[in-house]
Amino acid sequence: MKKTMIIGLVTLALLGGLLCGAKMIQIKGSDTMVNLVQILAEQYMEKNPGTPIAVLGGGSGTGITGLINQTCDIADHSREWKPKEIDQAWDKGVSPRPFVVAVDGLSIVVNEKNPVEQLTMAQVGAMYRGEIKNWKAVGGPSQAVSLYGRQSNSGTYVFMQEFVLGNKNYSTDMKEMNGNAQIIEGIIQDEGAVGYVGVGYLYDESHQIRKGIKILKISKEPNGTGYLPTDKAAVDSGAYPISRPLYMATNGKPKGAVAALLQWIVGPEGQAVVEREGFFTVGEGKYKAANDKNFK
Amino acid sequence: MKKRGRDVREAAIKAFFFAAGITAVLVLVGIFLTLVATAVPAFREIKISEFLGGTNWDPTSPEKAEYGLLAMIVSTLMVTGGALVLAVPIGIGVAAYLSDVAHWRVREVLKPVVEILAGIPSVVVGFLGVVLFGPALAKLFHTGNGLNALNGSILLAIMALPTIISISEDSLNAVPRAYTEASLALGASRWQTLLRVKLPAGLSGIIAAVMLGMGRAIGETMTVLMATGNARSFPNSFFDAVRTMTAGIAIELGEVPYYTTHYYALFAIGLVLFVMTFAVNLVADLVLHKYQEREQ
């Protein structure tokens, strides 16, 4: 009995040592990015079996806090760092370097039975501020608007608040869901629903648009042309108004395995995965230039 | 010599049990002190009247941070109260059935099954709320979606049931046989015996069972987080989406910058929750003592 216990303990210790020795790359953060990063990590590990990678969600705020407290190597985030967070990072000797790994068209989604096809930015903002409470006000049927959103640890929550709500408070009637997938589930059930999700969550396993939802066209101006977030050209040109870069941040200049991973993600192979998962590639413009600077 | 050895051993055993007992007390006192120490700084910036009486909670608001807890307190009470209204009659009924009516073979199967119900992880129960009870409630009451206080109450009732059934049944079984036999001998029917003799005799145990069930319900986090919709507005009915205190802490603690008013305020919520559960236990204890005195 005692012997088996000792053997067990030794094996545990050895296993622990092995795991630590292999230096697992810990990635944490944005729920919008967690599926994408998980698939990127799996593909990368297939080609480089020597680098174990662990990917966790939890929201952009959680990832950024993790990087500040040095409990992860890479933080995924779908919003910019807040000045307060940068101050905290510097205080702890952490100097964050964010790399743009993909571009997201934040999608406004309704139930498929909703006849509304298009909204303006101002209308979406008014809905989420709680000023428009009925679909009739935007040309729909007389039905109460049922708001679905994320929780305050979500980068998407913060991004929406800044860019669509004009830095005003969310309506307190908004149902705060745990993640993108839960918002989609809610919308499928609820005919009066409106929700916002990352473009990658619009597709099912076979890369078709999910059943039961409808993606709205969004226009910048009243009576302007509306565009879909799935329209690559419109997102690239900025004609689709609610797009944003998705980041993976490291502490200081990335080194060794972390640097190799990030180079692979922003390289052609990683970007092919990004595109297949429904997000948009980094492209050759300003994001690539910023990334190149951060690698040096 | 032999006697001395035994004395030493007994003293050692006594010391061990004393240490075990005192550790439990120390841990409780430690948790309480930490909670108070971390909660009190919140009130340097928040007025206590605003904290307990305000209805709007929005610490990350870009307009004005607000720390009103009342909506969350009411939500917690609603969900827990609703759960008890559902679980107590069913729980005591099942307990009475198991102890007095059921054939012993049925009991041998049913009781372990009820106890296994207690082992279902809360996240699984929450998932049932999202995919099963939510849509069913929405259809039944035509509310569009089923992410509301009623859904949370039903799920928490399911989670509290095993505790209530199991402990109530034990206490009914612990009622001395002489009571039952005396009652039957006096010509009372089995129903009268159960209602007028066994239930009052086992009341202290049943109250303890209800209190433990309530403790389970009031502190449950994951299930309500998933199934009640988490809207911050003040609840007007059981069909409104609500956010409980536990869900509020769970949502925000992951991303809150450390040592800020928001951080301290979350611990203040924890303190309020602690005081509430403490009060429940205290009242239960007083009630129990009163009944025990009367019995003597």
Side-chain angles (χ1 to χ4, degrees):
Chain A
M1 185 63 204
K2 233 177 198 170
K3 222 176 196 174
T4 39
M5 260 183 73
I6 292 171
I7 291 172
L9 280 177
V10 170
T11 330
L12 264 180
L14 276 179
L15 262 177
L18 264 179
L19 283 177
C20 293
K23 277 226 175 103
M24 186 173 286
I25 300 179
Q26 302 278 355
I27 305 179
K28 195 150 87 176
S30 169
D31 176 76
T32 304
M33 297 168 67
V34 68
N35 283 352
L36 170 66
V37 175
Q38 181 70 46
I39 288 164
L40 283 167
E42 277 166 16
Q43 303 259 324
Y44 186 77
M45 281 190 283
E46 244 170 56
K47 299 202 170 86
N48 305 274
T51 326
I53 306 169
V55 183
L56 287 173
S60 300
T62 313
I64 287 174
T65 311
L67 195 71
I68 293 173
N69 294 330
Q70 296 171 31
T71 55
C72 63
D73 301 298
I74 300 177
D76 298 338
H77 52 99
S78 63
R79 60 161 168 89
E80 311 279 331
W81 285 61
K82 295 174 188 165
K84 217 187 219 170
E85 289 165 342
I86 295 176
D87 287 348
Q88 274 197 330
W90 281 105
D91 283 347
K92 297 213 171 181
V94 172
S95 50
R97 286 202 189 192
F99 294 86
V100 178
V101 296
V103 175
D104 180 24
L106 188 63
S107 315
I108 307 299
V109 181
V110 295
N111 188 282
E112 64 176 349
K113 290 192 183 130
N114 193 327
V116 173
E117 297 285 337
Q118 178 172 337
L119 291 175
T120 65
M121 283 282 276
Q123 284 171 329
V124 176
M127 276 185 169
Y128 272 96
R129 286 192 299 266
E131 291 155 13
I132 295 179
K133 290 184 186 295
N134 198 302
W135 283 103
K136 215 157 76 177
V138 292
S142 175
Q143 187 168 33
V145 175
S146 170
L147 298 171
Y148 287 78
R150 295 282 306 280
Q151 297 161 352
S152 60
N153 59 344
S154 150
T156 315
Y157 176 102
V158 177
F159 177 82
M160 271 292 283
Q161 193 160 38
E162 282 175 10
F163 286 83
V164 184
L165 276 71
N167 249 336
K168 293 283 192 277
N169 287 345
Y170 277 104
S171 160
T172 55
D173 287 329
M174 178 173 82
K175 286 177 272 301
E176 298 187 7
M177 313 298 279
N178 228 346
N180 289 277
Q182 278 198 34
I183 293 181
I184 294 278
E185 291 302 326
I187 292 171
I188 291 174
Q189 312 282 358
D190 189 344
E191 285 181 29
V194 60
Y196 53 82
V197 294
V199 71
Y201 281 85
L202 299 173
Y203 303 93
D204 60 16
E205 296 82 23
S206 48
H207 302 280
Q208 302 295 313
I209 300 282
R210 299 262 321 240
K211 289 206 173 62
I213 60 170
K214 177 157 79 179
I215 309 158
L216 292 184
K217 287 181 184 165
I218 302 297
S219 65
K220 283 181 185 166
E221 306 297 332
N223 305 320
T225 325
Y227 294 92
L228 283 171
T230 47
D231 177 349
K232 183 175 166 43
V235 173
D236 279 348
S237 68
Y240 183 77
I242 342 175
S243 82
R244 55 180 180 164
L246 301 176
Y247 300 93
M248 291 174 83
T250 57
N251 173 11
K253 183 184 155 187
K255 291 184 216 68
V258 173
L261 171 67
L262 285 173
Q263 287 281 13
W264 180 83
I265 290 176
V266 299
E269 282 180 67
Q271 291 300 299
V273 176
V274 165
E275 199 144 40
R276 205 172 62 227
E277 290 307 310
F279 291 95
F280 304 105
T281 53
V282 174
E284 296 294 320
K286 57 180 181 181
Y287 295 140
K288 185 176 183 297
N291 282 349
D292 289 345
K293 215 174 92 192
N294 273 337
F295 272 121
K296 279 177 198 140
Chain B
M1 192 61 205
K2 222 177 179 181
K3 190 168 178 295
R4 246 198 88 202
R6 205 167 64 191
D7 282 351
V8 170
R9 214 172 61 200
E10 283 203 355
I13 289 169
K14 223 169 155 182
F16 172 76
F17 282 118
F18 179 73
I22 208 83
T23 309
V25 175
L26 284 180
V27 168
L28 182 68
V29 171
I31 288 175
F32 181 69
L33 289 181
T34 316
L35 205 51
V36 170
T38 332
V40 163
F43 299 105
R44 285 191 299 227
E45 285 184 38
I46 312 167
K47 270 189 243 145
I48 290 187
S49 58
E50 189 210 321
F51 186 71
L52 293 175
T55 53
N56 193 20
W57 180 271
D58 197 353
T60 56
S61 160
E63 293 176 43
K64 180 177 174 294
E66 283 191 86
Y67 297 91
L69 191 61
L70 196 61
M72 276 196 254
I73 296 178
V74 172
S75 301
T76 299
L77 293 177
M78 269 173 72
V79 174
T80 311
L84 286 180
V85 165
L86 294 172
V88 168
I90 299 176
I92 296 178
V94 174
Y97 168 76
L98 282 176
S99 82
D100 277 62
V101 186
H103 191 267
W104 65 270
R105 278 209 197 113
V106 176
R107 181 166 60 228
E108 292 295 284
V109 178
L110 215 54
K111 201 169 180 203
V113 169
V114 165
E115 276 159 10
I116 288 171
L117 199 63
I120 297 177
S122 52
V123 65
V124 176
V125 180
F127 184 71
L128 282 180
V130 174
V131 301
L132 186 70
F133 291 106
L137 287 174
K139 278 222 177 70
L140 201 58
F141 297 105
H142 304 289
T143 47
N145 65 79
L147 297 170
N148 52 32
L150 182 62
N151 193 350
S153 291
I154 293 175
L155 297 175
L156 290 186
I158 293 174
M159 297 185 75
L161 266 177
T163 317
I164 296 179
I165 294 172
S166 186
I167 298 177
S168 300
E169 204 255 349
D170 286 344
S171 83
L172 285 178
N173 268 338
V175 173
R177 274 188 75 86
Y179 286 27
T180 325
E181 283 163 2
S183 166
L184 291 172
L186 285 169
S189 67
R190 279 174 73 191
W191 170 245
Q192 287 168 327
T193 306
L194 175 65
L195 203 66
R196 306 271 174 81
V197 177
K198 287 196 85 176
L199 280 178
L203 195 64
S204 58
I206 292 171
I207 290 177
V210 170
M211 287 303 155
L212 281 174
M214 184 172 174
R216 172 108 210 237
I218 207 170
E220 176 48 45
T221 309
M222 198 60 213
T223 306
V224 286
L225 185 64
M226 290 171 76
T228 59
N230 298 312
R232 288 174 286 119
S233 54
F234 195 86
N236 293 315
S237 80
F238 271 92
F239 298 111
D240 282 349
V242 297
R243 187 202 243 198
T244 63
M245 293 157 80
T246 48
I249 299 175
I251 288 168
E252 286 168 21
L253 198 58
E255 49 99 26
V256 63
Y258 279 23
Y259 313 120
T260 54
T261 304
H262 184 187
Y263 174 85
Y264 295 127
L266 292 180
F267 280 87
I269 302 182
L271 187 64
V272 172
L273 203 56
F274 184 93
V275 170
M276 279 166 68
T277 42
F278 184 78
V280 166
N281 279 322
L282 194 69
V283 170
D285 224 41
L286 291 175
V287 171
L288 277 180
H289 271 288
K290 214 172 173 187
Y291 273 105
Q292 275 159 4
E293 270 166 29
R294 213 173 59 181
E295 273 166 33
Q296 276 159 13

